[in-house]
C-alpha cells in the first residue's frame, strides 16, 4: 500500500508520446528465462496461456499502460495447470527509449513490510517477542506506547500519527531526496503530533508502525535490520536478487523511475533517490522472479510455524471495500500479499491460494491516474481476465 509523502499534486499524468512504445518482444511461452538465466521451479519452462488468452492480456495491459501514461510495465503470472505469462511493455528509460524487460531490479516500496513482518514473526516463533507486548518494552518515547502493542503496529491500528504525513518531513525529503534519514529522525516527525486514534480501533496505513517494528527487531537481535532480514529471511527463502540497500545504490539492470511527488509537482527522475526515508517500511529492492517465489512463501508461511502464520493471516477490515489487512499483509479479492509504492516505482506481489496462482506487477512510475495507483489498475485488468471471481481491486487509501 502506498504511503509516500501525503502531498499529491494533481498534475495530469500526460507523459510525452515517446513512452508509448510497442509491446516488447518477449515470448510469454518462454517465461523470459533466457533473459535472466533462470528456469521455473522444477527445471522446465511452463507452457504459455495460449495465443487467445495471451493476446487478451497483452491488449488489456497495453490499454491500461497507455491510458495511465505508464512508461514501462513488467508482468509475471503463473497459474499451475494452465501455464504462465511473463511479458514487458513500454520503456525502461524515456530518454533513450530502452525497452522495459522482465529481468530488471525494481524498488519494491511497501512490499518491504512483508519482509520486516516475517523477521518479527520469526522472533515470535523463537519466543523472543510477543505480539501483545507493548512497544514501550522495546522503544522509549512512543506516545501512548504502553498501550500500543506489536500487533497493533503490524496490523496498522496503532493510532500513531504517520511521519510521512508531516509537512516538515515532506519538505525535508523533497528538498533533498539524496538525504539519509535515521529511523529516530523519521519517528520524530510523527511523534510531535497527537495520536489519531486509540490503539486497535482504527485502520490507518502508517509507515511509523513498521519503522518501530524494525527497531524492535534490532533491539532484540542486537543486529542491524538489514543483516537480520538477509540472514533470517532472504537466505532461507533463496532470494538471491533481493536486497536491503545501504543507501541509494541500485543494482543493474534497472529501469529509470518517474514521479510527480516533487516540490513543484513536475515529473522528475527519482531513480537514484535515497530510500532511507522508508527503511523498514519500504526501502528494499527485488526482481520479478524473486517476487514470484516470495509471494507463495508469504502467503503459505513457509518460514513460520502454522500458529504464527495463522496470526499473520487474521485480516481485519480496512474501511476500503474488498480489502482487509493482517500483520504486514493484505487480502484483496482472495489474493494475498502486498503492493509497494515509492517515488518512481510501484509493484504488486500476490498469491491466490484457491488456484495456487501468483501475480507480480512492476512499474517505473507512481504517478496516479484519476486518483488510482497505476499498479492497481494493471493488476485489476489482469485478474478480471484470468480470475474473474477473484479480482484484485485494492483501492488507494485516502492521503
Amino acid at each position: 500500500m502506498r504511503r509516500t509523502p501525503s502531498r499529491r499534486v494533481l498534475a495530469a499524468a500526460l507523459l510525452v508520446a515517446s513512452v508509448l512504445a510497442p509491446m516488447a518482444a518477449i515470448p510469454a511461452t518462454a517465461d523470459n528465462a533466457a533473459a535472466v538465466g533462470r528456469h521455473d521451479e522444477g527445471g522446465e519452462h511452463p507452457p504459455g496461456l495460449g495465443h487467445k488468452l495471451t493476446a487478451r492480456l497483452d491488449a488489456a495491459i497495453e490499454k491500461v499502460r497507455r491510458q495511465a501514461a505508464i512508461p514501462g510495465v513488467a508482468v509475471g503470472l503463473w497459474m499451475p495447470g494452465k501455464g504462465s505469462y511473463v511479458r514487458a511493455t513500454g520503456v525502461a528509460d524515456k530518454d533513450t527509449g530502452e525497452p522495459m524487460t522482465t529481468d530488471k531490479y525494481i524498488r519494491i516500496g511497501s512490499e518491504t513490510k512483508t519482509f520486516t513482518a516475517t523477521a518479527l514473526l520469526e522472533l515470535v516463533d523463537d519466543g523472543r517477542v510477543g505480539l501483545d507486548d507493548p512497544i514501550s518494552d522495546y522503544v522509549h518515547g512512543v506516545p501512548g506506547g504502553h498501550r500500543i502493542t506489536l500487533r497493533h503496529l503490524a496490523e496498522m491500528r496503532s493510532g500513531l500519527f504517520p511521519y510521512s504525513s508531516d509537512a516538515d518531513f515532506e519538505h525535508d525529503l523533497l528538498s533533498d531526496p539524496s538525504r539519509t534519514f535515521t529511523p529516530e529522525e523519521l519517528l520524530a516527525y510523527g511523534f510531535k503530533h497527537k495520536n489519531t486514534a486509540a490503539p486497535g480501533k482504527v485502520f490507518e496505513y502508517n509507515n511509523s508502525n513498521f519503522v518501530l517494528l524494525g527497531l524492535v527487531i534490532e533491539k532484540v537481535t542486537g543486529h542491524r535490520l538489514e543483516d537480520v532480514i538477509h540472514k533470517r529471511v532472504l537466505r532461507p527463502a533463496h532470494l538471491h536478487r533481493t536486497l536491503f540497500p545501504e543507501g541509494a545504490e541500485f543494482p543493474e539492470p534497472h529501469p529509470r523511475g518517474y514521479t510527480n511527488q516533487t516540490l513543484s509537482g513536475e515529473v522528475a527522475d527519482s531513480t537514484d533517490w535515497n530510500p532511507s526515508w522508508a527503511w523498514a517500511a519500504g526501502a528494499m529492492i527485488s526482481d520479478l522472479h524473486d517476487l514470484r517465489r516470495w509471494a507463495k512463501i508469504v502467503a503459505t508461511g513457509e518460514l513460520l510455524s502454522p500458529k504464527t502464520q495463522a496470526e499473520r493471516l487474521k485480516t481485519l477490515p480496512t474501511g476500503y471495500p474488498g480489502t482487509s489487512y493482517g500483520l504486514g499483509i493484505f487480502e484483496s479479492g482472495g489474493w494475498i500479499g502486498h503492493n509497494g509504492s515509492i517515488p518512481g516505482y510501484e509493484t504488486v506481489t500476490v498469491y491466490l491460494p484457491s488456484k495456487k496462482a501468483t501475480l507480480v506487477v512492476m512499474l517505473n512510475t507512481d504517478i496516479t491516474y484519476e486518483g488510482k495507483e497505476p499498479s492497481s489498475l494493471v493488476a485489476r485488468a489482469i485478474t478480471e481476465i484470468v480470475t474473474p471471481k477473484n479480482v484484485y481491486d485494492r483501492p488507494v487509501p485516502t492521503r
Side-chain angles (χ1 to χ4, degrees), residues 197-235:
K201 297 299 184 182
V202 178
F203 174 88
E204 182 177 20
Y205 198 76
N206 183 349
N207 284 335
S208 298
N209 295 329
F210 273 77
V211 170
L212 283 167
L213 292 178
L215 290 176
V216 170
I217 293 167
E218 291 194 332
K219 169 102 176 199
V220 172
T221 64
H223 297 286
R224 298 188 318 156
L225 175 65
E226 297 91 326
D227 296 333
V228 175
I229 286 179
H230 177 77
K231 180 179 179 180
R232 301 207 54 175
V233 182
L234 303 183
R235 188 181 298 170

Side-chain angles (χ1 to χ4, degrees), residues 249-327:
E249 67 269 22
F250 200 167
E252 294 283 358
H254 60 254
R256 309 303 297 180
Y258 303 95
T259 187
N260 63 352
Q261 295 201 77
T262 58
L263 289 177
S264 67
E266 296 180 357
V267 176
D269 183 327
S270 57
T271 308
D272 299 317
W273 286 15
N274 189 333
S276 66
W277 69 268
W279 196 51
M284 290 179 68
I285 293 167
S286 190
D287 78 345
L288 189 77
H289 288 268
D290 265 16
L291 292 178
R292 174 207 177 172
R293 181 173 179 79
W294 183 238
K296 182 180 179 183
I297 290 172
V298 172
T300 62
E302 289 182 20
L303 300 181
L304 303 175
S305 69
K307 179 181 178 181
T308 300
Q309 177 67 5
E311 291 293 319
R312 167 150 62 183
L313 296 181
K314 288 181 180 177
T315 61
L316 297 172
T318 62
Y320 308 106
T323 301
S324 56
Y325 203 87
L327 303 179

Side-chain angles (χ1 to χ4, degrees), residues 33-69:
V36 295
R38 295 179 180 213
H39 296 271
D40 279 336
E41 295 172 14
E44 297 181 356
H45 307 312
L49 294 174
H51 293 299
K52 184 176 180 180
L53 184 53
T54 295
R56 287 183 65 195
L57 288 169
D58 284 350
I61 293 168
E62 186 66 359
K63 179 180 178 180
V64 172
R65 191 184 73 79
R66 290 175 176 270
Q67 184 179 52

Side-chain angles (χ1 to χ4, degrees), residues 18 91-99 256 258:
S18 63
V91 296
D93 187 322
K94 294 195 296 180
D95 291 334
T96 67
E98 175 192 348
R256 309 303 297 180
Y258 303 95

